[in-house]
């Protein structure tokens, strides 16, 4: 089964509702930037690259909507269009703070808008839609390139731990970390996946496990606090995770709990790899300390959906991401190849 996390269908954006997977498989439709922003905020769509693709379509949808409403191309209509577009960009930029792909995609869409700003609104909207389609297609190509580089790092028979979901569901298809597993299997290697459940949103239990089961890639689910035990028992050969933002010195922000896994991996001499498209590297941020970490609703920690198991009145924290220092990263798997032991100098060269 090919997983189409986002798709353009009948002049609208459709996204798989990842809040209800795997109990139900359903697409939701989107027509405006504000509704796409809400889809990102509420995690209908999640995962750094998928958030970027969704934001790109959000901009295109806003342009289409505004251009259909415009009565002409006079100065007033042009000003209304510009104001509407700026509001669309702003609502999308405010949806989630950590994944840099969101801002990367918005910047890319803005550049296209600026380059065709003198054309009619309909033409501008079509250019923006074409760019959103291109960002989606490019994401799959990049994931396959990363997959090939990453697969070469895994031994036949490797048992690989992953945290959260960096799969087809977190991208436009194939996935980053799970893309490495898919590419390894495609190249004839037998690998098995150990999926951390990933509290509190359960991306591992619900999404990674579902993706791997769909494709008959052997997968074993564990709770997050079991990883150290399995490593100590010699049951994990490598770790591969995705990322939401990499700082210019190689520090890696990813789903909360990743840092814990990286520390454990170092303790047990297990390689810790991060699958990372170039669009996730933020050269404007010197170190991981400056990466904004989203703090989500305490409801997610209190319980699940309507059921609350936490004691009423207790104080709850819910940081959604943490930062793994570059020194714990064995390699960044990018579409341009693997950067072993990443540091500021190597990342600077990558973009030179
Ligand atoms: O909160 P989420 O589900 O959006 O967090 C997702 C992750 O942390 C992923 O590992 C990361 O975005 C990389 S996805 C290819």
């Amino acid at each position: 089964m090919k997983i189409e996390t986002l798709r353009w269908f009948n002049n609208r954006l459709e996204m798989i509702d990842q809040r209800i997977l795997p109990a139900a498989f359903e697409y939701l439709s989107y027509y405006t930037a504000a509704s796409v922003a809400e889809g990102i905020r509420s995690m209908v769509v999640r995962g750094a690259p998928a958030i970027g693709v969704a934001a790109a379509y959000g901009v295109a949808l806003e342009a289409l909507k505004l251009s259909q409403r415009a009565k002409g191309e006079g100065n007033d209509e042009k000003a209304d269009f510009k104001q509407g577009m700026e509001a669309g960009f702003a609502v999308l930029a405010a949806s989630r703070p950590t994944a840099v792909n969101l801002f990367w995609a918005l910047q890319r869409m803005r550049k296209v808008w600026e380059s065709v700003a003198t054309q009619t609104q309909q033409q501008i909207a079509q250019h923006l839609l074409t760019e959103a389609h291109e960002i989606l297609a490019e994401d799959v190509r990049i994931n396959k390139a990363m997959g090939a580089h990453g697969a070469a790092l895994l031994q036949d028979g490797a048992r690989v731990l992953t945290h959260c979901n960096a799969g087809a569901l977190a991208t436009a298809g194939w996935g980053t970390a799970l893309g490495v597993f898919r590419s390894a299997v495609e190249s004839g290697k037998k690998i098995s996946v150990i999926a951390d459940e990933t509290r509190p949103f359960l991306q591992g239990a619900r999404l990674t496990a579902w993706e791997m089961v769909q494709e008959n890639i052997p997968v074993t689910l564990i709770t997050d606090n079991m990883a150290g035990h399995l490593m100590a028992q010699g049951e994990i050969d490598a770790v591969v995770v995705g990322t939401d933002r990499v700082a210019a010195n190689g520090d890696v922000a990813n789903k909360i709990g990743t840092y814990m896994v990286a520390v454990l991996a170092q303790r047990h001499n297990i390689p810790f790899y991060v699958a990372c498209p170039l669009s996730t590297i933020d050269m404007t941020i010197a170190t991981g300390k400056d990466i904004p970490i989203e703090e989500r609703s305490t409801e997610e920690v209190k319980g699940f959906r309507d059921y609350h198991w936490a004691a009423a009145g207790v104080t709850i924290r819910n940081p959604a991401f943490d930062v793994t220092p570059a020194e714990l990263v064995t390699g960044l798997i990018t579409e341009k190849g693997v950067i072993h032991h990443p540091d500021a100098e190597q990342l600077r060269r990558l973009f030179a």
Side-chain angles (χ1 to χ4, degrees):
M1 170 190 184
K2 184 167 162 263
I3 300 166
E4 280 184 298
T5 304
L6 319 94
R7 64 183 187 196
W8 187 253
F9 188 72
N10 277 347
N11 286 326
R12 60 179 187 244
L13 172 67
E14 291 194 335
M15 304 198 285
I16 297 173
D17 186 350
Q18 299 193 32
R19 299 166 308 179
I20 57 173
L21 266 175
F25 184 92
E26 216 173 86
Y27 277 98
L28 298 179
S29 300
Y30 293 85
Y31 300 90
T32 64
S35 67
V36 173
E38 179 52 24
I40 294 171
R41 195 205 56 76
S42 64
M43 290 172 68
V44 168
V45 69
R46 29 68 49 201
I51 290 172
V53 177
Y57 278 108
V59 170
L61 281 167
E62 199 62 18
L64 285 167
K65 182 191 83 181
L66 293 166
S67 69
Q68 280 153 14
R69 279 189 199 161
K71 301 218 164 54
E73 289 285 337
N75 282 343
D76 285 355
E77 284 88 2
K78 277 193 178 138
D80 284 352
F81 181 79
K82 187 165 179 343
Q83 200 181 13
M85 287 297 288
E86 290 297 355
F89 273 97
V91 74
L92 286 161
S95 59
R96 287 190 82 188
T98 306
V100 75
N101 305 59
L102 170 68
F103 308 99
W104 170 89
L106 290 178
Q107 206 175 6
R108 192 161 150 175
M109 295 301 279
R110 183 175 286 280
K111 271 199 189 136
V112 170
W113 178 26
E114 283 168 3
S115 72
V116 294
T118 54
Q119 299 189 13
T120 68
Q121 293 178 24
Q122 279 81 5
Q123 285 167 333
I124 294 171
Q126 282 312 317
H127 284 295
L128 291 171
L129 183 59
T130 303
E131 187 68 3
H133 291 328
E134 176 51 27
I135 290 175
L136 181 143
E138 198 180 279
D139 186 54
V140 180
R141 289 197 297 271
I142 287 170
N143 290 339
K144 296 216 165 159
M146 274 190 300
H149 294 303
L153 299 168
L154 300 179
Q155 305 281 341
D156 191 19
R159 299 154 299 174
V160 195
L161 179 100
T162 191
H163 190 76
C164 194
N165 171 268
L169 288 166
T171 61
W174 202 249
T176 63
L178 300 197
V180 169
F181 306 159
R182 287 187 166 98
S183 296
V185 169
E186 205 179 61
S187 74
K189 284 181 182 165
K190 283 199 174 31
I191 60 149
S192 55
V193 176
I194 296 106
D196 274 350
E197 121 185 287
T198 317
R199 281 270 294 142
F201 206 70
L202 306 175
Q203 290 94 329
R206 298 189 300 106
L207 309 177
T208 293
W210 180 78
E211 279 195 37
M212 295 291 91
V213 167
Q214 296 302 303
E215 290 184 36
N216 289 322
I217 297 178
V219 57
T220 303
L221 176 65
I222 60 171
T223 63
D224 301 333
N225 49 0
M226 294 174 187
H229 174 68
L230 262 64
M231 288 183 187
Q233 297 291 313
E235 293 185 40
I236 292 172
D237 302 306
V239 177
V240 184
V241 297
T243 170
D244 287 81
R245 194 187 296 228
V246 173
N249 70 340
D251 290 350
V252 170
N254 191 45
K255 179 52 51 192
I256 191 77
T258 303
Y259 172 47
M260 206 163 65
V261 174
V263 171
L264 284 167
Q266 192 193 46
R267 159 99 190 166
H268 296 285
N269 255 323
I270 295 167
F272 178 88
Y273 294 111
V274 179
C276 165
L278 297 187
S279 54
T280 309
I281 302 177
D282 183 354
M283 293 301 280
T284 70
I285 281 197
T287 76
K289 278 197 184 65
D290 296 325
I291 298 176
I293 300 292
E294 178 183 17
E295 189 87 32
R296 293 187 63 83
S297 163
T298 56
E299 289 297 307
E300 292 177 357
V301 176
K302 226 178 244 175
F304 194 63
R305 302 212 166 111
D306 294 335
Y307 186 75
H308 290 171
W309 52 68
V314 69
T315 302
I316 292 173
R317 287 286 313 274
N318 188 14
F321 300 94
D322 58 27
V323 175
T324 298
E327 66 190 81
L328 297 179
V329 178
T330 311
L332 287 181
I333 305 165
T334 78
E335 62 269 40
K336 282 196 183 172
V338 180
I339 304 165
H340 296 277
H341 306 293
D343 59 18
E345 180 50 29
Q346 293 198 76
L347 291 192
R348 202 188 50 71
R349 260 190 270 129
L350 186 68
F351 287 96

